[in-house]
Amino acid sequence: MPAGTTSGTPQVLLAHHLKQLKLPTVLREYDKVARECARDGVDHPRYLLRLIELELIDRERRVVERRIRQARFPAVKSLDTFKFEAIPSLNKMLVLELARCEYILRHENIIALGNSGTGKTHVALSLGLAACQKGFSVAFTTAAGLVNQLMEARDEKRLLRLQRELAAVRLLIVDELGYVPLSPTGAELLFEVFSQRYERGSTLVTSNLPFEEWTSVFGAERLTGALLDRLTHHVHILSLNGESYRLAQSAGRRRGARVAEPAADPDVAIDPETGEITST
């Protein structure tokens, strides 16, 4: 018998052993499930099955939550809240298909192009969340933020380690490419990241610029051409062109606020001394 099995109360020993075995859900639920099974006449094997299923479900939930934290999303968004009707140029069926994450198994890329405010980041975050839920490692960053990380790592002699970490991620999301021009060194470092992931991992890039204007970001035509050659070899293009629905939402809120404001009633007055409402 294991040490301590024959001494102490069963509840204390059981709690100790379950903690040692890292079964927190079984520890939390075993008594309640036992009472439910006794009430329903469930036998011991099915009682154990219920407990283990609860533990497995809870463990998977914790794993997904850990992947989401490690991805460092600026916000957690899903496709359920995306307004597809506001962006008719976006292929909804393709986005829903990509949410199944089979493209990650094939090491294919996604490039989302469109005006500012049309939901590119929302789509990227949603596909990143779906990948976490499917069991894939994800890293989210902006293009400018990634270049800063790379340059700092180069200066601190840890560039190779960061490059290996980025290459190992199953889905790398690089948001807002094109918003900030890159220095020649920054462009080369970013190109190296994309090159190392070519046909080894999936990369999702969002940009407000069409491909023919990417040279303005990377500076050199040859570098831009080589980058596009790698990114677009196995790629799904998402087009998000239209009016900014962030601006539309903001305008709608302002209109709603104006409608909600009470109109002045010329036939009503407030006595400044008593505060009483009187008719005029």
Side-chain angles (χ1 to χ4, degrees), residues 14-248:
L14 183 57
H16 175 267
H17 296 334
L18 290 174
K19 288 177 182 178
Q20 290 291 104
L21 292 169
K22 294 182 173 59
L23 297 172
T25 306
V26 172
L27 174 59
R28 186 178 66 247
E29 300 290 340
Y30 79 88
D31 187 56
K32 183 183 73 173
V33 175
R35 284 186 270 107
E36 291 175 350
C37 289
R39 181 196 63 206
D40 300 335
V42 176
D43 57 23
H44 288 84
R46 286 182 174 80
Y47 164 63
L48 288 173
L49 178 61
R50 285 190 187 182
L51 277 179
I52 299 306
E53 285 176 341
L54 288 173
E55 184 67 50
L56 288 173
I57 291 169
D58 204 35
R59 182 169 296 184
E60 178 58 26
R61 177 187 58 78
R62 294 194 299 271
V63 169
V64 171
E65 289 175 351
R66 183 165 64 250
R67 287 194 205 104
I68 293 171
R69 288 195 302 272
Q70 292 172 341
R72 297 190 176 183
F73 298 128
V76 177
K77 296 189 177 183
S78 71
L79 291 175
D80 294 338
T81 59
F82 186 81
K83 297 184 182 299
F84 284 96
E85 65 277 7
I87 311 294
S89 66
L90 180 61
N91 186 335
K92 179 178 180 180
M93 296 307 299
L94 174 57
V95 175
L96 297 179
E97 174 64 25
L98 292 172
R100 297 173 60 186
C101 299
E102 293 177 2
Y103 71 96
I104 297 177
L105 298 173
R106 299 189 294 266
H107 303 154
E108 296 170 350
N109 300 324
I110 300 173
I111 300 179
L113 302 174
N115 309 336
S116 178
T118 52
K120 299 183 299 298
T121 300
H122 189 148
V123 170
L125 289 169
S126 299
L127 293 177
L129 176 63
C132 289
Q133 293 169 335
K134 294 289 185 179
F136 297 105
S137 58
V138 180
F140 182 99
T141 181
T142 63
L146 178 55
V147 168
N148 287 336
Q149 288 183 58
L150 291 166
M151 295 187 72
E152 288 177 3
R154 183 201 58 173
D155 295 341
E156 297 170 4
K157 311 298 184 185
R158 52 181 180 84
L159 179 59
L160 288 176
R161 185 176 68 185
L162 177 58
Q163 288 176 331
R164 285 195 296 267
E165 291 172 356
L166 291 169
V169 173
R170 300 297 300 275
L171 175 62
L172 175 64
I173 301 176
V174 181
D175 196 28
E176 298 181 348
L177 180 67
Y179 286 78
V180 179
L182 304 177
S183 67
T185 302
E188 291 174 4
L189 289 171
L190 185 57
F191 171 79
E192 188 65 23
V193 169
F194 289 142
S195 294
Q196 290 172 349
R197 295 185 58 77
Y198 176 59
E199 295 190 328
R200 296 185 181 91
S202 294
T203 305
L204 192 165
V205 178
T206 76
S207 178
N208 62 327
L209 298 178
F211 291 136
E212 57 268 22
E213 295 183 25
W214 281 29
T215 305
S216 64
V217 179
F218 291 92
E221 288 187 10
R222 182 174 297 179
L223 182 67
T224 306
L227 171 67
L228 286 172
D229 182 61
R230 287 161 175 76
L231 278 179
T232 61
H233 186 200
H234 309 288
V235 71
H236 302 275
I237 306 293
L238 300 179
S239 175
L240 293 90
N241 291 311
E243 296 181 1
S244 168
Y245 71 71
R246 279 203 298 261
L247 291 177

Side-chain angles (χ1 to χ4, degrees), residues 255-266 270:
R255 284 195 298 270
R258 286 197 297 270
V259 169
E261 290 175 359
D265 189 340
I270 300 178

